[in-house]
Amino acid sequence: MMIYYWHKIADLTVSLLTENKLMEVSLREKRIGILKRNERIFAFAATCPHASASLCDGWLDAQGRIVCPLHHYRYDPANGRNTSGEGYKLVTYPVEIKNDEIFIGLLS
């Protein structure tokens, strides 16, 4: 059983996020990407597991996958799965919304 420690993302609220726009925040010395898509919030490592490019400098494709700006590898923001076939996995984090505030779960 995994135990998460929940951390509020500064003063960022759901209402401040723009639909389909990648955004980066820092949380406990981690660079975390945030995405609001179809009224869901996703949190993921902000750097590509292949060559450490900033994923928040990338874009979303038509299916809502995150596209790395360096080599165009694609990742599903819900589970981190690499969908373009290279075999990498993007770290994802659980998200909870309480009173319009965003909390990210980190393992101890």
Side-chain angles (χ1 to χ4, degrees):
M1 180 173 140
M2 290 189 225
I3 298 176
Y4 291 102
Y5 293 91
W6 295 94
H7 302 273
K8 179 181 171 189
I9 300 180
D11 292 323
L12 186 62
T13 62
V14 173
S15 61
L16 290 176
L17 293 178
T18 302
E19 186 81 8
N20 297 323
K21 184 175 187 303
L22 298 165
M23 176 180 202
E24 184 176 320
V25 298
S26 293
L27 183 60
R28 299 197 68 190
E29 300 179 18
K30 292 182 185 292
R31 294 175 55 199
I32 297 177
I34 305 291
L35 169 65
K36 179 179 177 184
R37 180 161 171 81
N38 297 328
E39 298 305 315
R40 288 183 62 194
I41 307 294
F42 301 97
F44 51 90
T47 55
C48 181
H50 169 246
S52 299
S54 174
L55 291 174
C56 293
D57 289 338
W59 60 91
L60 298 181
D61 67 9
Q63 291 77 36
R65 298 174 297 204
I66 301 163
V67 181
C68 177
L70 190 57
H71 296 108
H72 299 186
Y73 291 6
R74 296 165 193 265
Y75 300 95
D76 183 327
N79 58 25
R81 188 172 65 87
N82 171 243
T83 61
S84 47
E86 293 80 20
Y88 293 96
K89 178 135 175 41
L90 181 63
V91 173
T92 59
Y93 302 98
V95 175
E96 283 193 4
I97 308 298
K98 295 179 185 174
N99 300 322
D100 201 40
E101 296 177 328
I102 303 168
F103 292 82
I104 304 296
L106 300 178
L107 294 172
S108 60

